[in-house]
Amino acid sequence: RAKDEGPGRSTIFDTSMHTQVRERIELEVALRAALADDQLYVAYQPIVRLETGVPVGAEALVRWLHPERGLIPPMTFIPIAEDAGLIGSIGTWVRKEALRQLGVWRSEGIVGDDFYLSINVSPRQLSDPELPLIVSGEMLRYGVPAQCVALEMTESVMVDGSSVTSRVLFELRELGVKLLVDDFGTGFSALGYLRRFPVTGVKIDRSFVTGLGVNVEDDEIVRAVVAMSHALGLSVIAEGVETPLQREALHAVGVVNGQGWLWGAAVPAPEFAERWRRAAITQAAAVPAIAANP
Ligand code: C2E
Ligand code: MG
Ligand code: MG
Ligand code: MG
Protein backbone atom coordinates (compact mmCIF):
# COMPACT_ATOMS: atom_id res chain seq x y z
CA ARG A 1 0.00 0.00 0.00
CA ALA A 2 1.18 3.50 -0.79
CA LYS A 3 0.51 4.45 2.82
CA ASP A 4 3.21 2.07 4.08
CA GLU A 5 5.90 3.50 1.83
CA GLY A 6 6.29 6.85 3.54
CA PRO A 7 4.38 10.10 3.24
CA GLY A 8 6.52 11.61 0.43
CA ARG A 9 6.08 8.66 -1.90
CA SER A 10 2.43 8.38 -1.08
CA THR A 11 1.81 12.01 -2.07
CA ILE A 12 3.58 11.62 -5.42
CA PHE A 13 1.71 8.42 -6.12
CA ASP A 14 -1.64 9.94 -5.21
CA THR A 15 -0.98 13.05 -7.28
CA SER A 16 -0.04 11.23 -10.48
CA MET A 17 -2.84 8.73 -10.05
CA HIS A 18 -5.23 11.56 -9.39
CA THR A 19 -4.12 13.31 -12.59
CA GLN A 20 -4.50 10.13 -14.61
CA VAL A 21 -7.94 9.40 -13.24
CA ARG A 22 -9.04 12.97 -13.87
CA GLU A 23 -7.69 12.91 -17.40
CA ARG A 24 -9.59 9.72 -18.04
CA ILE A 25 -12.85 11.00 -16.60
CA GLU A 26 -12.48 14.20 -18.62
CA LEU A 27 -11.95 12.23 -21.80
CA GLU A 28 -14.87 9.96 -20.99
CA VAL A 29 -17.21 12.91 -20.49
CA ALA A 30 -15.89 14.55 -23.66
CA LEU A 31 -16.31 11.31 -25.60
CA ARG A 32 -19.97 11.07 -24.63
CA ALA A 33 -20.45 14.54 -26.08
CA ALA A 34 -18.32 13.77 -29.15
CA LEU A 35 -20.85 11.40 -30.66
CA ALA A 36 -23.73 13.84 -30.24
CA ASP A 37 -21.65 16.81 -31.42
CA ASP A 38 -20.38 15.24 -34.64
CA GLN A 39 -16.75 15.28 -33.53
CA LEU A 40 -16.12 11.76 -34.83
CA TYR A 41 -15.41 10.98 -38.45
CA VAL A 42 -14.19 8.02 -40.43
CA ALA A 43 -10.89 8.06 -42.32
CA TYR A 44 -10.12 5.58 -45.10
CA GLN A 45 -6.78 3.96 -45.85
CA PRO A 46 -6.24 2.13 -49.14
CA ILE A 47 -5.48 -1.59 -49.20
CA VAL A 48 -3.48 -2.39 -52.33
CA ARG A 49 -1.98 -5.23 -54.30
CA LEU A 50 1.67 -5.12 -53.28
CA GLU A 51 2.97 -5.95 -56.71
CA THR A 52 1.17 -3.23 -58.63
CA GLY A 53 -0.02 -0.73 -56.04
CA VAL A 54 -3.51 -1.10 -57.48
CA PRO A 55 -6.07 -0.51 -54.71
CA VAL A 56 -8.47 -3.34 -53.84
CA GLY A 57 -10.24 -1.83 -50.86
CA ALA A 58 -9.89 0.34 -47.80
CA GLU A 59 -9.89 0.16 -44.03
CA ALA A 60 -12.27 2.46 -42.16
CA LEU A 61 -10.55 4.04 -39.14
CA VAL A 62 -12.38 6.23 -36.65
CA ARG A 63 -11.04 9.71 -35.87
CA TRP A 64 -11.93 12.07 -33.04
CA LEU A 65 -11.40 15.74 -33.67
CA HIS A 66 -11.74 17.35 -30.25
CA PRO A 67 -12.65 21.07 -30.46
CA GLU A 68 -9.81 22.14 -28.14
CA ARG A 69 -7.33 19.28 -28.09
CA GLY A 70 -7.32 18.53 -31.79
CA LEU A 71 -7.04 15.01 -33.10
CA ILE A 72 -7.12 12.34 -30.37
CA PRO A 73 -5.81 8.96 -31.60
CA PRO A 74 -8.02 5.84 -31.39
CA MET A 75 -5.33 4.16 -29.28
CA THR A 76 -6.22 6.73 -26.59
CA PHE A 77 -10.01 6.81 -26.80
CA ILE A 78 -11.03 3.31 -27.94
CA PRO A 79 -9.87 1.73 -24.63
CA ILE A 80 -11.77 4.44 -22.72
CA ALA A 81 -14.84 3.81 -24.84
CA GLU A 82 -14.54 0.10 -24.05
CA ASP A 83 -14.28 0.66 -20.28
CA ALA A 84 -17.02 3.29 -20.22
CA GLY A 85 -19.50 1.15 -22.13
CA LEU A 86 -19.41 3.55 -25.09
CA ILE A 87 -17.82 1.20 -27.62
CA GLY A 88 -21.23 -0.14 -28.63
CA SER A 89 -22.59 3.22 -29.72
CA ILE A 90 -19.28 4.36 -31.24
CA GLY A 91 -18.84 1.07 -33.07
CA THR A 92 -22.40 1.23 -34.36
CA TRP A 93 -21.88 4.77 -35.59
CA VAL A 94 -18.59 3.91 -37.36
CA ARG A 95 -20.05 0.84 -39.04
CA LYS A 96 -23.16 2.63 -40.25
CA GLU A 97 -21.22 5.63 -41.46
CA ALA A 98 -18.68 3.44 -43.29
CA LEU A 99 -21.40 1.35 -44.94
CA ARG A 100 -23.35 4.48 -45.87
CA GLN A 101 -20.21 5.95 -47.44
CA LEU A 102 -19.49 2.77 -49.34
CA GLY A 103 -23.07 2.85 -50.65
CA VAL A 104 -22.55 6.42 -51.89
CA TRP A 105 -19.23 5.57 -53.58
CA ARG A 106 -20.86 2.58 -55.24
CA SER A 107 -23.86 4.53 -56.48
CA GLU A 108 -21.58 7.29 -57.79
CA GLY A 109 -19.58 4.66 -59.66
CA ILE A 110 -16.39 5.60 -57.82
CA VAL A 111 -15.90 2.01 -56.69
CA GLY A 112 -17.31 -1.24 -58.00
CA ASP A 113 -18.01 -4.78 -56.84
CA ASP A 114 -14.26 -5.46 -56.69
CA PHE A 115 -13.80 -2.91 -53.88
CA TYR A 116 -14.24 -3.94 -50.26
CA LEU A 117 -14.40 -1.93 -47.09
CA SER A 118 -12.85 -3.30 -43.91
CA ILE A 119 -14.35 -2.20 -40.59
CA ASN A 120 -12.90 -2.73 -37.11
CA VAL A 121 -15.22 -4.31 -34.57
CA SER A 122 -14.56 -4.67 -30.86
CA PRO A 123 -15.22 -7.82 -28.80
CA ARG A 124 -18.23 -6.19 -27.16
CA GLN A 125 -19.92 -5.62 -30.53
CA LEU A 126 -19.39 -9.24 -31.52
CA SER A 127 -21.05 -10.47 -28.34
CA ASP A 128 -24.36 -8.91 -29.43
CA PRO A 129 -26.54 -11.70 -30.82
CA GLU A 130 -28.45 -9.12 -32.88
CA LEU A 131 -25.35 -7.97 -34.79
CA PRO A 132 -25.71 -10.20 -37.88
CA LEU A 133 -29.32 -9.09 -38.38
CA ILE A 134 -28.38 -5.43 -37.91
CA VAL A 135 -25.45 -5.66 -40.33
CA SER A 136 -27.52 -7.41 -42.97
CA GLY A 137 -30.19 -4.70 -42.62
CA GLU A 138 -27.58 -1.97 -43.06
CA MET A 139 -26.07 -3.65 -46.12
CA LEU A 140 -29.53 -3.88 -47.66
CA ARG A 141 -30.33 -0.29 -46.82
CA TYR A 142 -27.10 1.09 -48.31
CA GLY A 143 -26.98 -1.25 -51.29
CA VAL A 144 -23.76 -2.93 -50.25
CA PRO A 145 -23.22 -6.62 -51.08
CA ALA A 146 -21.70 -8.72 -48.29
CA GLN A 147 -18.63 -9.62 -50.40
CA CYS A 148 -17.71 -5.93 -50.29
CA VAL A 149 -17.56 -5.89 -46.50
CA ALA A 150 -14.87 -7.19 -44.15
CA LEU A 151 -14.92 -7.06 -40.38
CA GLU A 152 -11.63 -6.92 -38.50
CA MET A 153 -11.33 -8.39 -35.01
CA THR A 154 -8.47 -9.19 -32.71
CA GLU A 155 -7.44 -12.74 -31.83
CA SER A 156 -8.84 -12.27 -28.33
CA VAL A 157 -12.37 -12.33 -29.73
CA MET A 158 -11.97 -15.97 -30.70
CA VAL A 159 -9.75 -17.00 -27.82
CA ASP A 160 -11.89 -15.51 -25.03
CA GLY A 161 -15.22 -15.26 -26.84
CA SER A 162 -18.41 -16.85 -25.58
CA SER A 163 -20.65 -19.24 -27.47
CA VAL A 164 -22.78 -16.21 -28.41
CA THR A 165 -19.75 -14.59 -30.07
CA SER A 166 -19.04 -17.82 -31.87
CA ARG A 167 -22.58 -17.95 -33.24
CA VAL A 168 -22.39 -14.30 -34.26
CA LEU A 169 -19.22 -14.98 -36.24
CA PHE A 170 -20.74 -17.95 -38.03
CA GLU A 171 -23.87 -15.98 -38.87
CA LEU A 172 -21.85 -13.04 -40.17
CA ARG A 173 -19.80 -15.40 -42.31
CA GLU A 174 -23.02 -17.00 -43.52
CA LEU A 175 -24.09 -13.58 -44.79
CA GLY A 176 -20.93 -13.52 -46.93
CA VAL A 177 -19.02 -10.92 -44.95
CA LYS A 178 -15.23 -11.43 -44.79
CA LEU A 179 -13.78 -11.94 -41.31
CA LEU A 180 -10.19 -10.83 -40.77
CA VAL A 181 -7.91 -11.35 -37.78
CA ASP A 182 -6.35 -7.96 -37.03
CA ASP A 183 -2.86 -7.47 -35.58
CA PHE A 184 -2.20 -11.12 -36.34
CA GLY A 185 0.72 -12.60 -34.42
CA THR A 186 0.58 -10.27 -31.42
CA GLY A 187 -1.83 -12.34 -29.33
CA PHE A 188 0.59 -15.18 -28.50
CA SER A 189 -2.36 -17.51 -28.72
CA ALA A 190 -2.69 -21.04 -29.94
CA LEU A 191 -3.60 -21.00 -33.62
CA GLY A 192 -6.35 -23.59 -33.35
CA TYR A 193 -9.00 -20.89 -33.49
CA LEU A 194 -8.16 -20.35 -37.16
CA ARG A 195 -9.72 -23.75 -37.84
CA ARG A 196 -12.57 -23.46 -35.36
CA PHE A 197 -13.88 -20.09 -36.53
CA PRO A 198 -14.99 -19.00 -39.99
CA VAL A 199 -12.07 -16.60 -40.47
CA THR A 200 -11.26 -15.64 -44.09
CA GLY A 201 -7.96 -13.84 -43.67
CA VAL A 202 -5.26 -12.43 -41.41
CA LYS A 203 -3.65 -9.02 -41.18
CA ILE A 204 0.02 -9.35 -40.28
CA ASP A 205 0.79 -6.88 -37.52
CA ARG A 206 3.01 -3.92 -38.32
CA SER A 207 5.55 -5.05 -35.71
CA PHE A 208 6.54 -7.96 -37.97
CA VAL A 209 6.59 -5.82 -41.11
CA THR A 210 8.93 -3.20 -39.65
CA GLY A 211 11.98 -5.49 -39.58
CA LEU A 212 11.44 -7.12 -42.98
CA GLY A 213 14.43 -7.21 -45.26
CA VAL A 214 16.64 -6.24 -42.30
CA ASN A 215 15.84 -8.76 -39.59
CA VAL A 216 16.01 -12.38 -40.83
CA GLU A 217 13.72 -13.61 -38.02
CA ASP A 218 10.93 -11.30 -39.16
CA ASP A 219 11.33 -12.57 -42.73
CA GLU A 220 11.00 -16.14 -41.45
CA ILE A 221 7.97 -15.38 -39.25
CA VAL A 222 6.14 -13.73 -42.12
CA ARG A 223 7.13 -16.56 -44.47
CA ALA A 224 5.66 -19.07 -42.00
CA VAL A 225 2.46 -17.05 -41.55
CA VAL A 226 2.00 -16.93 -45.33
CA ALA A 227 2.60 -20.68 -45.74
CA MET A 228 0.15 -21.52 -42.97
CA SER A 229 -2.49 -19.03 -44.13
CA HIS A 230 -2.38 -20.26 -47.69
CA ALA A 231 -2.58 -23.88 -46.51
CA LEU A 232 -5.75 -22.92 -44.60
CA GLY A 233 -7.15 -20.96 -47.52
CA LEU A 234 -6.84 -17.60 -45.74
CA SER A 235 -5.99 -14.30 -47.35
CA VAL A 236 -3.02 -12.31 -46.04
CA ILE A 237 -2.76 -8.55 -45.73
CA ALA A 238 0.39 -6.86 -44.41
CA GLU A 239 -0.18 -3.73 -42.35
CA GLY A 240 2.13 -0.79 -41.76
CA VAL A 241 4.13 -1.04 -44.98
CA GLU A 242 6.26 2.07 -45.06
CA THR A 243 9.24 1.37 -47.33
CA PRO A 244 9.88 -0.12 -50.79
CA LEU A 245 12.23 -2.60 -49.08
CA GLN A 246 9.39 -3.92 -46.91
CA ARG A 247 7.16 -4.14 -49.94
CA GLU A 248 9.79 -6.15 -51.83
CA ALA A 249 10.35 -8.49 -48.89
CA LEU A 250 6.59 -9.08 -48.47
CA HIS A 251 6.18 -9.75 -52.16
CA ALA A 252 9.14 -12.14 -52.05
CA VAL A 253 7.54 -14.27 -49.33
CA GLY A 254 4.22 -14.39 -51.15
CA VAL A 255 2.11 -11.71 -49.44
CA VAL A 256 -0.33 -10.34 -52.04
CA ASN A 257 -2.04 -7.39 -50.35
CA GLY A 258 -0.85 -4.63 -48.05
CA GLN A 259 -1.59 -1.25 -46.59
CA GLY A 260 0.64 1.44 -45.18
CA TRP A 261 2.07 4.89 -45.56
CA LEU A 262 4.01 3.75 -48.63
CA TRP A 263 0.70 4.09 -50.49
CA GLY A 264 -1.08 6.51 -48.22
CA ALA A 265 -2.34 7.14 -44.70
CA ALA A 266 -6.02 7.14 -43.75
CA VAL A 267 -7.78 10.26 -45.06
CA PRO A 268 -11.34 11.64 -44.87
CA ALA A 269 -13.87 10.36 -47.41
CA PRO A 270 -13.73 13.22 -49.96
CA GLU A 271 -9.94 13.04 -50.16
CA PHE A 272 -10.06 9.28 -50.43
CA ALA A 273 -12.53 9.45 -53.32
CA GLU A 274 -10.33 12.00 -55.07
CA ARG A 275 -7.25 9.80 -54.72
CA TRP A 276 -9.24 6.81 -55.85
CA ARG A 277 -10.26 8.63 -59.02
CA ARG A 278 -6.68 9.62 -59.70
CA ALA A 279 -5.48 6.03 -59.10
CA ALA A 280 -8.08 4.80 -61.60
CA ILE A 281 -6.73 7.26 -64.15
CA THR A 282 -3.20 6.13 -63.36
CA GLN A 283 -4.27 2.53 -63.83
CA ALA A 284 -5.88 3.34 -67.15
CA ALA A 285 -2.59 4.87 -68.24
CA ALA A 286 -0.92 1.58 -67.24
CA VAL A 287 1.42 3.16 -64.72
CA PRO A 288 1.91 0.41 -62.15
CA ALA A 289 1.99 2.13 -58.77
CA ILE A 290 0.06 4.99 -57.19
CA ALA A 291 2.21 7.73 -55.72
CA ALA A 292 3.32 7.40 -52.10
CA ASN A 293 1.77 9.71 -49.53
CA PRO A 294 3.77 12.96 -49.40
P1 C2E B 1 -5.54 -1.29 -36.66
O1 C2E B 1 -6.92 -1.73 -36.94
O2 C2E B 1 -4.47 -2.33 -36.64
O3 C2E B 1 -5.26 -0.17 -37.73
C1 C2E B 1 -4.01 0.08 -38.29
C2 C2E B 1 -3.36 1.29 -37.66
O4 C2E B 1 -2.08 1.49 -38.25
C3 C2E B 1 -4.12 2.60 -37.90
O5 C2E B 1 -3.90 3.40 -36.77
C4 C2E B 1 -3.40 3.17 -39.11
O6 C2E B 1 -3.57 4.57 -39.23
C5 C2E B 1 -1.99 2.80 -38.78
N1 C2E B 1 -1.12 2.73 -39.96
C6 C2E B 1 -1.47 2.45 -41.23
N2 C2E B 1 -0.39 2.42 -42.04
C7 C2E B 1 0.67 2.67 -41.25
C8 C2E B 1 2.09 2.76 -41.51
O7 C2E B 1 2.58 2.59 -42.63
N3 C2E B 1 2.88 3.02 -40.43
C9 C2E B 1 2.39 3.20 -39.17
N4 C2E B 1 3.25 3.45 -38.19
N5 C2E B 1 1.06 3.11 -38.91
C10 C2E B 1 0.22 2.85 -39.93
P2 C2E B 1 -5.06 4.22 -36.09
O8 C2E B 1 -6.00 4.73 -37.13
O9 C2E B 1 -4.43 5.18 -35.16
O10 C2E B 1 -5.85 3.12 -35.29
C11 C2E B 1 -5.27 2.42 -34.24
C12 C2E B 1 -6.11 1.30 -33.78
O11 C2E B 1 -7.34 1.76 -33.23
C13 C2E B 1 -6.54 0.36 -34.92
O12 C2E B 1 -5.49 -0.51 -35.24
C14 C2E B 1 -7.74 -0.31 -34.31
O13 C2E B 1 -7.34 -1.35 -33.46
C15 C2E B 1 -8.34 0.80 -33.47
N6 C2E B 1 -9.46 1.39 -34.21
C16 C2E B 1 -9.48 2.35 -35.18
N7 C2E B 1 -10.72 2.61 -35.62
C17 C2E B 1 -11.54 1.77 -34.91
C18 C2E B 1 -12.96 1.54 -34.90
O14 C2E B 1 -13.74 2.13 -35.67
N8 C2E B 1 -13.43 0.60 -34.03
C19 C2E B 1 -12.60 -0.10 -33.20
N9 C2E B 1 -13.13 -1.01 -32.37
N10 C2E B 1 -11.27 0.08 -33.19
C20 C2E B 1 -10.74 1.00 -34.03
MG1 MG C 1 -7.79 -2.86 -38.26
MG1 MG D 1 -4.57 -3.86 -37.95
MG1 MG E 1 -2.41 -2.98 -35.90
Side-chain angles (χ1 to χ4, degrees), residues 129 131-133 166-177 198:
L131 186 70
L133 197 67
S166 172
R167 210 177 65 225
V168 166
L169 292 176
F170 276 93
E171 286 176 12
L172 285 167
R173 185 62 201 125
E174 193 99 317
L175 291 174
V177 167

Side-chain angles (χ1 to χ4, degrees), residues 36 60 78 82 196 200 243 247 274 276:
I78 291 287
E82 273 164 356
R196 288 201 311 277
T200 59
T243 69
R247 185 188 87 139
E274 187 47 42
W276 193 270

